[in-house]
Amino acid sequence: MIIALDTEESLMQLGVPEVAVAATVSGALQAIADAPPHFALLDYNLGDESSEEVAEELERHGIPFYFVTGYGDAVSKLSASKALGVLQKPYSPADLQKLLQALPPRKQG
């Protein structure tokens, strides 16, 4: 959770106006339902859960996302998703800046 909060702060410093942090699959699904995001960063390992279900929901809504993981072996599992990529932990604000610059343009309407 500390990494998530640090990432939230970094994203806001990089100009992201609003960041939602969810520690569980159900919390993330509710956040998507309440206010669909422009993009998402999904930590693959959420303790007893993985974020695969969240990725599926983002795909259904056409919301771009990246997986974040510190587990190199998880990358092969993630390649079947429509993730834009995998951000390996540890990462820096500069890594987040590159990720933001690589996002597809936001759809209007």
Side-chain angles (χ1 to χ4, degrees), residues 10-25:
S10 293
L11 288 169
M12 293 185 84
Q13 288 178 353
L14 290 168
V16 176
E18 186 176 337
V19 178
V21 176
T24 64
V25 169

Side-chain angles (χ1 to χ4, degrees), residues 19-76:
V19 178
V21 176
T24 64
V25 169
S26 62
L29 294 174
Q30 188 62 55
I32 294 167
D34 290 345
H38 172 57
F39 75 97
L41 297 176
L42 301 179
D43 194 327
Y44 182 75
N45 183 356
L46 300 175
D48 294 338
E49 304 176 288
S50 82
S51 59
E52 290 178 65
E53 185 179 350
V54 179
E56 291 169 4
E57 184 68 9
L58 291 168
E59 287 176 14
R60 278 192 286 279
H61 289 281
I63 299 168
F65 65 95
Y66 286 84
F67 277 110
V68 178
T69 184
Y71 302 100
D73 59 337
V75 173
S76 62

Side-chain angles (χ1 to χ4, degrees), residues 5-19 92-94 96-97 100:
L5 294 174
D6 185 49
T7 300
E8 176 185 24
E9 182 177 327
S10 293
L11 288 169
M12 293 185 84
Q13 288 178 353
L14 290 168
V16 176
E18 186 176 337
V19 178
S92 69
L96 293 171
Q97 173 88 32
L100 290 172

